[in-house]
Amino acid sequence: MATLPQYDAAPSRPLSRGDIKVLSLSALGGALEFYDFIIFVYFATVIGALFFPPEMPEWLRMVQTYGIFAAGYLARPLGGIIMAHFGDLLGRKRMFTLSIFLMSVPTLLIGCLPTYATIGYAAPLLLVLMRILQGAAVGGEVPGAWVFVTEHVSRKDVGLACGTLASGLVAGILIGSIISAFFKSYYSAEEMSAYGWRVPFLIGGVFGFLAVYLRRYLEETPVFAEMRAKKALSDGLPVKRVLASHLDSVALSMGVTWILTGAVVVVLLLTPSMLKSLYAIDASYANVWAIVCTVFGSIAAGWCADRLGSGVTLILWSLLLGVAYWVMMHSVPQDPSQLLWSYCLAGFGVGIVGVVPTIAVKSFPAAVRFSGLSFSYNVAYAIFGGFTPVVVSTLMISHPAAPAYYIAALALLGVLIGLFLLWAPGGRRLSVMPS
């Protein structure tokens, strides 16, 4: 049976003012960076019309536009591994600041790009390049942020730190949704095509640079500073050591990341369009409130992980997510009045994203933590984040309730992983409140 490493963190102590500053600035930066990454999808229709030939069939234009969006996901593993390599060797803070800078620049440039009418096929090629840079940046930001905050707080607050940061990332999706709705209602279709679509990208770039400035006030994590002082940093390539000695931790982290991607992609991102296409139900308003509930659910799950243990919390939130989404997808088609409360409950269940990083961060030793987490998270997200929409939409052809079955299967996986954390040697250390 696999044995997982002991988690290295600051000794138990009360949450300090400095910890609160780290959590606040990290969550704010994560929200702004995730906004920069996700805003593309909200304006995909307008971008597709402007960056591809007008004579191109609409379906092909949208396929290519979403293909450009997917390019950001495919770039995540490479960018994450490279940034994590230097994060394990040079310091967490440098990469933590660099990631948001690398996100801000291409986001700002997307808002300034000439369209197909101006420079022809060079326009979509430049757009692909910007999305690749964004993907590389977010590949380093998310695991880097988890490592950064958890190595600042004491070991008894690791769950709360991860939950708070996860809530910030989800808030980035919420900000993108709200800004998209505002601009689409404020500008006419002609104004949106002429210049309106550029404004959200310009706003994202400017606020990204603000986040870069604010991160200057953060300090290197105590865990990394101690390793550097004791000359205990990883020799050679950290990711090589991860693959040679920590495959059990990689498997565990990829498993919980699969649950995270399914919860976010299916429940929050795909469900409104599925309800619209299948049952002509407008779920946009309920979706906003479901995302709000996810923000609070993430913090609650992280808080519970510190007190009940990661294994127990994962089991509880997996059951909540699976049951709530199953009830929603089987009751709403017959009675649309059930949508708001059931979607909010399912959104709170998506708060499982608050306990997932708690498990993944604790499964790697400090010397290779950034590289191990980044490799596991980004590879899993690229695979499952990329294929989940295809798998779910294909299954829906034969069974409209396929999304509910998919989430139920992931909920079962979460229960099994939770039981492993409770009973596996070493895994149990991740499941009980550290002393």
Side-chain angles (χ1 to χ4, degrees):
M1 189 175 288
T3 300
L4 299 175
Q6 179 66 58
Y7 178 63
D8 311 294
S12 297
R13 55 174 172 75
L15 200 65
S16 67
R17 180 177 296 181
D19 294 336
I20 295 174
K21 181 181 77 171
V22 168
L23 291 177
S24 300
L25 291 180
S26 299
L28 174 62
L32 294 176
E33 183 158 8
F34 228 67
Y35 161 83
D36 286 353
F37 186 72
I38 206 72
I39 194 68
F40 184 96
V41 76
Y42 289 112
F43 294 91
T45 303
V46 178
I47 291 173
L50 294 173
F51 281 80
F52 292 99
E55 65 274 9
M56 180 179 289
E58 179 63 26
W59 69 269
L60 180 58
R61 182 184 298 119
M62 291 312 300
V63 167
Q64 295 198 4
T65 302
Y66 283 113
I68 292 177
F69 176 74
Y73 282 94
L74 297 178
R76 289 173 71 151
L78 180 59
I81 290 171
I82 292 174
M83 295 182 71
H85 169 79
F86 291 105
D88 278 331
L89 297 179
L90 302 179
R92 321 303 201 197
K93 179 186 174 181
R94 292 182 183 181
M95 295 303 107
F96 194 41
T97 303
L98 178 63
S99 66
I100 200 165
F101 176 79
L102 290 179
M103 176 63 79
S104 303
V105 171
T107 302
L108 189 67
L109 291 177
I110 288 176
C112 302
L113 284 180
T115 62
Y116 180 86
T118 305
I119 59 173
Y121 283 104
L125 292 177
L126 288 174
L127 190 58
V128 170
L129 177 60
M130 296 301 105
R131 285 297 297 173
I132 290 175
L133 291 175
Q134 284 187 321
V138 81
E141 163 70 16
V142 177
W146 286 337
V147 171
F148 189 83
V149 298
T150 55
E151 290 187 5
H152 266 287
V153 301
S154 77
R155 57 173 59 95
K156 72 179 184 63
D157 293 314
V158 168
L160 179 61
C162 288
T164 301
L165 186 56
S167 72
L169 299 177
V170 174
I173 301 176
L174 179 62
I175 294 170
S177 175
I178 293 173
I179 286 185
S180 168
F182 172 77
F183 277 93
K184 289 177 180 179
S185 62
Y186 184 80
Y187 290 116
S188 65
E190 293 75 17
E191 292 173 327
M192 185 65 71
S193 296
Y195 60 88
W197 69 274
R198 298 181 183 273
V199 181
F201 291 96
L202 297 176
I203 291 174
V206 170
F207 278 111
F209 287 123
L210 175 61
V212 171
Y213 175 78
L214 292 175
R215 284 187 177 178
R216 292 173 62 245
Y217 294 98
L218 296 176
E219 299 178 356
E220 184 56 83
T221 72
V223 172
F224 183 86
E226 182 179 356
M227 287 194 302
R228 182 166 51 193
K230 293 181 178 179
K231 301 186 184 305
L233 301 179
S234 178
D235 296 326
L237 290 172
V239 71
K240 182 178 179 180
R241 181 176 163 189
V242 167
L243 295 176
S245 305
H246 302 286
L247 284 179
D248 51 353
S249 298
V250 170
L252 174 63
S253 299
M254 291 185 72
V256 292
T257 299
W258 186 8
I259 299 171
L260 179 150
T261 59
V264 172
V265 172
V266 175
V267 180
L268 297 186
L269 299 183
L270 294 182
T271 294
S273 61
M274 291 188 297
L275 290 176
K276 185 72 172 178
S277 60
L278 287 175
Y279 310 110
I281 296 174
D282 184 2
S284 55
Y285 175 77
N287 178 251
V288 170
W289 282 105
I291 297 174
V292 172
C293 289
T294 301
V295 171
F296 291 104
S298 301
I299 298 174
W303 183 86
C304 286
D306 288 329
R307 283 146 184 84
L308 303 178
S310 301
V312 173
T313 304
L314 182 63
I315 292 172
L316 292 176
W317 251 260
S318 295
L319 293 173
L320 172 62
L321 174 64
V323 172
Y325 193 68
W326 180 277
V327 170
M328 171 186 164
M329 294 302 288
H330 283 82
S331 64
V332 168
Q334 283 74 39
D335 185 3
S337 66
Q338 305 295 315
L339 175 62
L340 183 59
W341 74 265
S342 60
Y343 207 171
C344 285
L345 187 60
F348 194 82
V350 178
I352 197 172
V353 300
V355 69
V356 162
T358 309
I359 297 168
V361 165
K362 289 183 177 182
S363 65
F364 293 99
V368 294
R369 179 171 296 139
F370 199 163
S371 293
L373 179 59
S374 183
F375 176 84
S376 307
Y377 172 81
N378 284 306
V379 171
Y381 211 112
I383 296 172
F384 301 123
F387 286 103
T388 291
V390 177
V391 171
V392 171
S393 58
T394 302
L395 292 175
M396 285 174 60
I397 297 175
S398 57
H399 203 304
Y405 285 99
Y406 185 82
I407 294 299
L410 291 183
L412 176 60
L413 176 63
V415 171
L416 294 176
I417 294 177
L419 292 174
F420 164 78
L421 292 176
L422 288 173
W423 298 113
R428 188 166 178 80
R429 288 196 297 267
L430 312 187
S431 310
V432 295
M433 185 176 70
S435 59

